[in-house]
Amino acid sequence: MMYQSLLKPLIRIALGIYHTYFILYATIWDIKHPNYETYAGRWKTLTFVTCMLNCWYHIGVASHDLVLCHLLSGPANKRVKALTDASFGSVVCPAALLVVVAFWGLFLFNRSLIWPAHMDEVIPQTYGHMMHTFLGFVALFELYIFKHQYVAFNQGLALCLVFAGGYVSLLYWIHHASGIWAYPLFYQLKKPWKKELFIGGVVSILLALYCIQFGLHTFIHGEKKGVSTRKDLRAEKVE
């Protein structure tokens, strides 16, 4: 039905606006923090990287559902859908969940490791929750509402590992180039093996979250590849 073909793109546009305005606006223009003025700026933090990924994802799929699906051929539509669904299931969703788990885990253990008290004066709690709490809820909402065509489990796991390796490499490159770490915690881990152990633990959590969201998506939507709002799939029977 027409309203069903419009509802899902509109939801994604709303999510894209949410990430663009409430998160990116807050972190780029409204929040002034000394750490953002150092080497690599906001790109040092996994939170900002994940916010950008979510913003690009939601705006990208909404643009495709509303406009591009009418301009591209059937095979091109399928390739775009496969790319966006693979990015969500392999990187966007696991990374968003990791931000929530890692931030609140460290915050409850010892907030000075991740969010020192003086940060409350720099970043309002509302923005803090939008960046570190609602990010995960938005990913779970997307997972529940939309039926994606996930790639094979091992392929998705490999993509997740590539993302993790890329971000870890970025952290070490920033330290090599500027002598600074993205997080206060790293300054307290004096010995290199402690940093490596911590990073390995975080990567393991990321992979565990990938497995959880993969299983959750399968449980909710079944193993059959999902029906999307893409033009080339509208003729399929909606389950």
Side-chain angles (χ1 to χ4, degrees):
M1 296 179 67
M2 180 64 68
Y3 77 91
Q4 290 179 331
S5 65
L6 290 175
L7 180 60
K8 290 183 178 181
L10 290 176
I11 291 175
R12 277 172 164 154
I13 287 177
L15 293 175
I17 292 173
Y18 167 82
H19 286 293
T20 303
Y21 181 77
F22 290 104
I23 296 179
L24 298 185
Y25 176 84
T27 56
I28 293 177
W29 291 290
D30 199 23
I31 295 175
K32 306 299 180 183
H33 187 265
N35 192 37
Y36 293 164
E37 305 301 325
T38 57
Y39 188 83
R42 296 162 177 81
W43 291 96
K44 292 190 293 294
T45 64
L46 180 63
T47 298
F48 184 77
V49 171
T50 305
C51 288
M52 289 294 295
L53 289 174
N54 275 267
C55 179
W56 293 338
Y57 169 78
H58 287 113
I59 291 179
V61 293
S63 300
H64 177 265
D65 287 344
L66 288 174
V67 179
L68 295 180
C69 68
H70 300 283
L71 304 177
L72 300 176
S73 63
N77 274 320
K78 291 181 179 180
R79 287 193 293 270
V80 172
K81 174 175 170 52
L83 177 62
T84 55
D85 283 353
S87 65
F88 176 79
S90 304
V91 177
V92 175
C93 184
L97 297 177
L98 178 63
V99 167
V100 178
V101 172
F103 175 82
W104 285 109
L106 288 172
F107 186 93
L108 294 174
F109 176 73
N110 183 354
R111 67 171 297 174
S112 64
L113 298 176
I114 190 71
W115 194 267
H118 67 83
M119 290 291 289
D120 292 337
E121 301 177 1
V122 178
I123 302 179
Q125 289 187 359
T126 301
Y127 287 162
H129 282 301
M130 286 178 178
M131 291 186 290
H132 302 111
T133 306
F134 297 156
L135 194 64
F137 285 108
V138 169
L140 291 176
F141 177 79
E142 163 83 15
L143 184 149
Y144 179 78
I145 294 294
F146 299 102
K147 198 172 184 180
H148 302 82
Q149 291 181 314
Y150 278 18
V151 296
F153 178 84
N154 290 338
Q155 292 177 342
L157 191 66
L159 291 173
C160 191
L161 273 172
V162 170
F163 169 75
Y167 181 71
V168 171
S169 299
L170 176 65
L171 288 180
Y172 277 97
W173 170 256
I174 291 172
H175 183 261
H176 170 76
S178 63
I180 61 175
W181 291 107
Y183 302 100
L185 168 65
F186 280 41
Y187 293 102
Q188 299 191 30
L189 300 176
K190 303 295 183 181
K191 297 182 179 180
W193 67 267
K194 291 185 177 181
K195 294 184 181 67
E196 295 169 2
L197 183 63
F198 174 78
I199 290 174
V202 173
V203 172
S204 298
I205 293 174
L206 174 65
L207 298 181
L209 291 171
Y210 165 79
C211 297
I212 291 172
Q213 63 87 32
F214 188 96
L216 186 60
H217 182 272
T218 301
F219 176 77
I220 294 173
H221 301 290
E223 295 183 0
K224 181 181 177 182
K225 290 187 177 181
V227 176
S228 175
T229 56
R230 308 304 200 265
K231 183 179 179 181
D232 60 299
L233 297 177
R234 286 173 182 167
E236 293 187 30
K237 181 179 178 181
V238 178
E239 297 181 349

